[in-house]
Each structure stands twice: as structure tokens, then as C-alpha cells.
Amino acid sequence: MEAKYAFERKYRDQVLQCSRCGFCQAVCPVFGLTLRPALNARGKMLILKEVMDGKIELEDSMIETLFQCTTCGSCAESCPSGVKVPEIIKAVRQDMVRIGSCHPAFKGMNEVLKRHTNIYAEEEHPNFERERGQKSESVYFIGCVGAYREEDATLATLELLDRFQVDYTLIDEVCCSGVLEDVGYRINEDLARTNIDRIRQTGAKRVITGCPYCFRTFHHKPQYAELKEEGIDIIHITQLIKTIDFGITTQKRVTYHDPCDLGRHCGIYEDPRDTIRKIAPDFVEMPHNRAEALCCGAGGGVRGAFAKNSIAMARRRLEEVEETGAEILLTECNSCVHNLSNAKLRKQKFEIYNTTRFIHELINGA
């Protein structure tokens, strides 16, 4: 029987490879919250097998199941059969969009990025009191969340780079638009071209990203391939600051949350820890860390489409912070900072920062 959907043509063998063992169920943040079998990877693969067998069709009733996935990669990390669940889910979502079935929040996101340069439809880009587009060794690429929702963290990062004389410039950046591929659409080619051209105009040979999703997009998406082809190095801020001696320490107990985009998707686990250990002798790990870290619930469009569950997933993560007795929770993703901060209860006394902002405050306090 000829495949009806594109996901089947590309991933049929992967879907059938699922052995239904249930390892994914133990690590899925959505299942851990809802206890609904259809919302973990095994349940999704069973449903997609039914679709491939022609027993059911992709349609609106599947939106909640197929679009409620943070694409955190925990299932793929633990899968003994090697099923690439996040890639399958993104391909299925593209098929859903083609037939006109999509969560309204994701339709809205795609429409916003057709008319605006950022996912929040903000008209005025914050300038952070710095000139843009200057000739420089590096471009610092902030990302939408850092530019429009976590501005204080971004300003602290820029001031830290200034203090240690990093040669960088900002540009009039636009959304990298990589997130569109997570929710069933395609990267906006015009936005990608704008970013590439503005990076080139600076003469920079390095792009430092504050956002791990932008880091992933620049590294792995073909729309940005010419950056690397032209010898422009793409690094995340963690890979830069680990080389700096800040000359400051804190006696507070500190723990670290691995962002899914930086950790499971890019394999960057030790760089942030190298920095944290230098500034925080009393560094402790949460029970789930590195490849086993719990997702904060913000990814895959879930924060926008299923906000209540997104916050509840973040609260599950914050329970582990309490277990450690940490006074400071650090992470290296502004989206994680944003979601975890929104989920934090008043009775929880620990503070949440990205690492650069915490270091900036330590230095200023000294």
C-alpha cells in the first residue's frame, strides 16, 4: 500500500522499530504529569502505526496527542530500539499542517513570523544601550526570549562580556525561526537570510549565541549552512565563559538545570559545570541531571499551546531543586529561566538565574 503521508515515507521503519517496551514512559515529562498513555512516545508510535495501516486518519482529534510533546528527546535517549521520536513527531506535525490540522497557537506563531521579526510580535527591538552592526571579531546573537522577555539577564551578560573585554557586536537580529520546524512549519527563509547577511556585514568570524535553540539552528539547519561554510564559528555562551577566570566565588549552594536543547540535543554538559565549579565550591547535582535531566516543559511549542501543563512540568523540576537544598538554580537557556521562574512558588526561596547573570551579580556585589 502506497504511503499516504510524508512521515510514513521517511520514518515507517522507525515507527515499526518501536518495541513497545515502555522505557520512554518512565522519562516522558508529559506522561509523568498526565499519566495518559497516548501522550508518551510509545502511545504516539502505536497511534502512528494505526495511521500507517489505514485504520485511522490524521485529523483534528489528534492535535492534543501529537502536538503535546516538548521534543525534549528524553524518550530517544532512553530508547533501546533507537527510535528517533522527536524527528518523527516533527514530521507528523508537518503532515498535520498540510491537511489543515494544527493547534491554533502554532498557526498563530507562523503567522506572526510572516509579519514580524520576532515570535512576540514586538515592534521595537531593545537596543541594550549598544550600537549594532559594528565591525567585530564576534557577533553576540541574543535570541527572542533573551531580547524580549529576559532583558535583564541579557544586559547582565553583555556587561560581563564588556568587563572581560570580549570583542563583539550586536546586530539587528531577527528570529532564527528554527522553532517553526518543531510545530509543523518550515524555517522562514527570509528571516534566515536577514540574519546571515547582517552577520556577514560585521566581518565577524564567530557567532556567540545566548540561546541554545539558536545555537542548534545555526549549527544544524541547512538554511544557515553557509555561515559554517564561510568559516564562521558558532559557539554557545557557555563555551566562551568557561575559559574566563572571574576571580569570584560564592558560598551559596548551587545546582544546575540542563536545558534539553543544550544537553540532549547538542551534548553540551560539562562546559557549564566547569564554570559553575569555579565560582561555587558547594555545587550539587539534582537527582536527574545531564542526559537524564527533566525537561522544564517549555519546548516543542508546549509553553504556548498547553501552558497549564508546561508550568506543571516546570514545577516537577523545581521539586528536585528543593531536594538538593540549593539556594541558587542556574541554567543556560533563557526559555528555561522564563518557564521555571513563572512556575516557582512563593514558598520556594531559591533564586533562578542564567550563569552569566549570576556571575555579574557576584562581581557587582563584591
Side-chain angles (χ1 to χ4, degrees):
M1 185 171 64
E2 185 178 351
K4 182 175 180 178
Y5 299 106
F7 90 84
E8 181 181 358
R9 290 191 288 274
K10 188 171 183 179
Y11 291 113
R12 178 179 178 83
D13 289 346
Q14 278 274 306
V15 174
L16 297 178
Q17 204 166 299
C18 173
S19 65
R20 306 170 197 171
C21 65
F23 278 34
C24 56
Q25 181 169 293
V27 297
C28 174
V30 181
F31 177 80
L33 175 68
T34 65
L35 301 181
R36 292 178 56 187
L39 296 183
N40 65 38
R42 178 176 66 176
K44 289 177 169 68
M45 295 306 104
L46 287 171
I47 289 170
L48 294 181
K49 183 180 184 301
E50 296 283 285
V51 172
M52 294 191 305
D53 290 344
K55 296 178 181 179
I56 56 177
E57 301 281 336
L58 293 179
E59 39 98 16
D60 284 356
S61 67
M62 294 190 189
I63 288 175
E64 184 178 7
T65 296
L66 296 176
F67 283 90
Q68 192 165 186
C69 168
T70 67
T71 64
C72 70
S74 291
C75 51
E77 188 72 33
S78 66
C79 179
S81 301
V83 180
K84 300 174 182 176
V85 178
E87 299 308 310
I88 297 170
I89 292 301
K90 287 189 276 188
V92 173
R93 288 173 173 180
Q94 288 185 358
D95 282 322
M96 293 280 281
V97 167
R98 286 189 197 102
I99 65 174
S101 286
C102 182
H103 194 285
F106 302 150
K107 289 181 183 178
M109 183 186 299
N110 187 53
E111 289 303 312
V112 161
L113 287 177
K114 287 180 180 178
R115 300 190 301 271
H116 300 274
T117 61
N118 60 87
I119 59 173
Y120 300 111
E122 299 278 4
E123 296 291 347
E124 187 174 343
H125 196 294
N127 64 19
F128 295 104
E129 303 170 2
R130 284 159 175 78
E131 294 186 9
R132 296 171 181 271
Q134 305 298 300
K135 293 294 181 181
S136 185
E137 176 186 327
S138 303
V139 165
Y140 184 74
F141 195 92
I142 301 168
C144 291
V145 182
Y148 297 100
R149 292 296 180 269
E150 293 294 328
E151 299 99 317
D152 290 345
T154 297
L155 185 58
T157 301
L158 298 178
E159 290 179 357
L160 196 67
L161 296 179
D162 292 341
R163 179 184 290 268
F164 289 92
Q165 300 180 332
V166 176
D167 182 16
Y168 74 94
T169 184
L170 302 180
I171 59 170
D172 287 316
E173 66 182 62
V174 297
C175 179
C176 73
S177 77
V179 68
L180 291 178
E181 290 199 346
D182 278 2
V183 298
Y185 294 91
R186 297 189 181 279
I187 284 181
N188 185 307
E189 302 274 355
D190 292 337
L191 295 178
R193 172 50 50 196
T194 296
N195 281 327
I196 291 169
D197 289 346
R198 290 176 181 172
I199 290 169
R200 276 178 171 161
Q201 287 164 9
T202 69
K205 290 301 179 184
R206 180 173 67 176
V207 176
I208 307 164
T209 65
C211 167
Y213 200 103
C214 296
F215 176 76
R216 283 180 65 195
T217 300
F218 289 169
H219 255 291
H220 302 304
K221 301 303 181 183
Q223 292 85 350
Y224 287 94
E226 58 193 89
L227 290 176
K228 294 172 74 175
E229 290 167 0
E230 294 176 10
I232 298 174
D233 194 20
I234 312 294
I235 68 170
H236 186 260
I237 185 71
T238 56
Q239 297 171 304
L240 173 68
I241 65 171
K242 73 169 186 175
T243 66
I244 299 174
D245 180 7
F246 295 104
I248 195 80
T249 58
T250 179
Q251 297 309 307
K252 292 183 177 181
R253 176 166 288 190
V254 175
T255 193
Y256 176 71
H257 164 72
D258 290 277
C260 303
D261 287 320
L262 194 64
R264 276 184 292 271
H265 289 298
C266 291
I268 297 177
Y269 297 112
E270 298 311 317
D271 291 345
R273 287 173 169 81
D274 288 346
T275 298
I276 294 168
R277 288 190 183 99
K278 285 193 294 187
I279 64 167
D282 192 6
F283 169 65
V284 293
E285 294 280 10
M286 283 189 268
H288 293 89
N289 60 76
R290 295 178 174 81
E292 296 180 356
L294 300 183
C295 175
C296 81
V302 170
R303 180 171 61 196
F306 304 96
K308 183 178 178 181
N309 281 356
S310 176
I311 290 293
M313 282 183 263
R315 286 185 175 150
R316 290 185 71 224
R317 185 53 163 161
L318 294 179
E319 288 173 4
E320 291 204 340
V321 180
E322 288 189 293
E323 287 181 40
T324 68
E327 300 164 84
I328 302 293
L329 168 62
L330 299 180
T331 188
E332 285 299 347
C333 171
N334 281 319
S335 191
C336 292
V337 169
H338 193 66
N339 213 45
L340 292 167
S341 297
N342 285 340
K344 183 172 164 295
L345 299 173
R346 188 174 300 172
K347 68 179 182 179
Q348 294 173 319
K349 301 305 180 185
F350 53 81
E351 298 174 280
I352 302 171
Y353 299 94
N354 66 15
T355 306
T356 45
R357 183 178 184 182
F358 182 62
I359 293 171
H360 178 264
E361 293 201 0
L362 282 181
I363 292 173
N364 284 351

